[in-house]
Amino acid sequence: MRYINLIFLFSLASAISHAELATNVLATTVKISLPPETLFLKESNVVGYSLASASCITCHSAEYIRTQPKLTRTTWKAEVTKMKKVFGAPIPDGSIDPLVDYLVLTYGVK
Ligand code: HEC
């Protein structure tokens, strides 16, 4: 009987030390490094930057714009027009050119 108690005590002690081990693992500090911020459009002083920040990242993320190859003015203009006419982006006609200026300057070729 004493022998059985001894085994019981031994396994209890072992269970407790395992529990402590698990707690120590949980408390470990993990260092991570995040990729660069891509949620927003690249900052610029041109008017089109604030227009684009207000009207180009409401339906989809800025990634859609940032990951395009360097597009020409004609292609960016076609993109903005498509967003307005096909997808219903609320972009006033007068904002199209300033938007395209910003897009060509920041994500395009002249
Ligand atoms: C009303 C919603 C809406 C707004 C506002 C909007 N887009 Fe889009 N955009 C879309 C949709 C829908 C797609 C297609 C998504 C897909 O194919 O998965 C898209 C896709 C794109 C793409 C990927 C290429 C393509 O043609 O599919 C680009 C680039 C883009 N948008 C740029 C813009 C720019 C620049 C603006 C601001 C002038 C803008 N979007 C504003 C809805 C919008």
Side-chain angles (χ1 to χ4, degrees):
M1 190 62 184
R2 181 178 282 180
Y3 181 68
I4 290 175
N5 274 346
L6 216 67
I7 290 177
F8 174 74
L9 274 179
F10 180 75
S11 50
L12 192 70
S14 142
I16 289 170
S17 69
H18 274 93
E20 271 173 19
L21 202 72
T23 314
N24 286 343
V25 168
L26 281 178
T28 306
T29 309
V30 176
K31 288 204 170 128
I32 56 164
S33 56
L34 295 170
E37 180 62 78
T38 54
L39 271 181
F40 303 105
L41 293 168
K42 201 171 161 208
E43 274 185 43
S44 169
N45 291 329
V46 300
V47 194
Y49 166 63
S50 48
L51 290 173
S53 298
S55 52
C56 296
I57 54 176
T58 45
C59 297
H60 48 70
S61 74
E63 288 282 290
Y64 274 59
I65 295 160
R66 298 179 69 118
T67 54
Q68 294 301 311
K70 289 201 170 289
L71 304 177
T72 60
R73 171 169 291 275
T74 313
T75 312
W76 271 124
K77 187 150 190 174
E79 272 297 324
V80 174
T81 309
K82 179 169 101 179
M83 296 305 132
K84 180 179 163 75
K85 298 223 166 111
V86 181
F87 298 134
I91 302 166
D93 284 340
S95 297
I96 293 181
D97 281 338
L99 274 169
V100 173
D101 288 344
Y102 164 74
L103 292 166
V104 174
L105 191 74
T106 321
Y107 301 106
V109 281
K110 295 213 168 153

